Amino acid sequence: MSEADRERWERRWRERAGASAPPEPWLVANLDRLPRGPVLDVAAGDGRNALSLAERGFPVTAIDISPTALERLARRARERGLGVATRTADLDDPAALAGLGPFASLLVVRYKPSPEQWRHLLARLAPGGRLLLCSFGRERAAAGGFDPAYCLEEAELRATLEPTLACLAYERLGPASDWLEGSIWEKRA
């Protein structure tokens, strides 16, 4: 990620005030599909999903490029008596995940990892572990105002993930969800 991108995210989190948004509804609807065990929340922001998982007893590690977002997450976790580990890192850095894992689950919400980032992330997922992915579909870009480079494309995703993971579910959530697509994957043994 470029320094300009890093600063853009940092600025975004510095300008955001108030309470954290509620957890992603698709995640909440699929919590029973997560195996018990450590979860890595990728591009966690201020932790709306990480906090929800920690409240349900999951050990969570949250990673994001923004120190401001993760400081806010850490403060909210302390206020609620929750233990959420955080790591500020750029996922383009091959050492970003050094020393982490293995994880029973990876959570990727409203973020599209690059093929190289996927390679590093999947290496941290335990055999039989699950990936819950919920991000923008191509319809979001078609609706206007959103860069298609950040949108999921099912065939591209399958080509990237299926050598390592089996797709258990794939769902297009439609306009009410901001054109998100949710999928659940399991790492082959």
Side-chain angles (χ1 to χ4, degrees):
M1 183 172 281
S2 73
E3 191 57 38
D5 288 333
R6 181 187 329 269
E7 182 51 39
R8 178 175 55 90
W9 282 108
E10 185 62 3
R11 185 174 46 255
R12 176 181 173 184
W13 287 110
R14 279 193 308 260
E15 291 170 356
R16 248 189 209 180
S20 181
E24 189 65 52
W26 190 84
L27 165 65
V28 173
N30 287 281
L31 278 174
D32 62 333
R33 300 190 73 178
L34 279 178
R36 281 289 162 187
V39 178
L40 178 63
D41 186 357
V42 178
D46 68 352
R48 67 191 184 114
N49 297 311
L51 292 169
S52 178
L53 288 169
E55 286 171 340
R56 289 167 171 83
F58 287 91
V60 181
T61 299
I63 189 167
D64 199 276
I65 197 163
S66 169
T68 297
L70 291 178
E71 288 164 9
R72 192 174 298 156
L73 164 56
R75 184 183 71 251
R76 289 177 176 155
R78 280 190 308 276
E79 289 168 355
R80 296 179 189 185
L82 302 171
V84 176
T86 61
R87 179 178 287 191
T88 304
D90 180 347
L91 289 173
D92 286 335
D93 177 355
L97 303 172
L100 296 179
F103 292 96
S105 300
L106 299 178
L107 177 63
V108 181
V109 174
R110 296 179 184 248
Y111 182 73
K112 180 186 176 187
S114 69
E116 188 66 14
Q117 290 172 352
W118 275 125
R119 190 173 71 72
H120 294 293
L121 289 166
L122 297 180
R124 301 296 183 217
L125 185 61
R130 296 228 172 132
L131 162 67
L132 267 73
L133 172 62
C134 185
S135 199
F136 302 102
R138 293 282 181 196
E139 292 85 358
R140 177 65 180 94
F146 200 83
D147 187 342
Y150 300 116
C151 295
L152 300 177
E153 201 292 311
E154 185 176 358
E156 173 191 4
L157 191 60
R158 286 184 181 277
T160 300
L161 299 181
E162 284 186 334
T164 306
L165 305 176
C167 185
L168 304 178
Y170 201 101
E171 183 178 1
R172 286 179 176 78
L173 305 174
S177 75
D178 208 15
W179 297 108
L180 295 176
E181 295 184 12
S183 55
I184 301 169
W185 306 77
E186 187 170 82
K187 189 169 186 180
R188 302 175 198 280

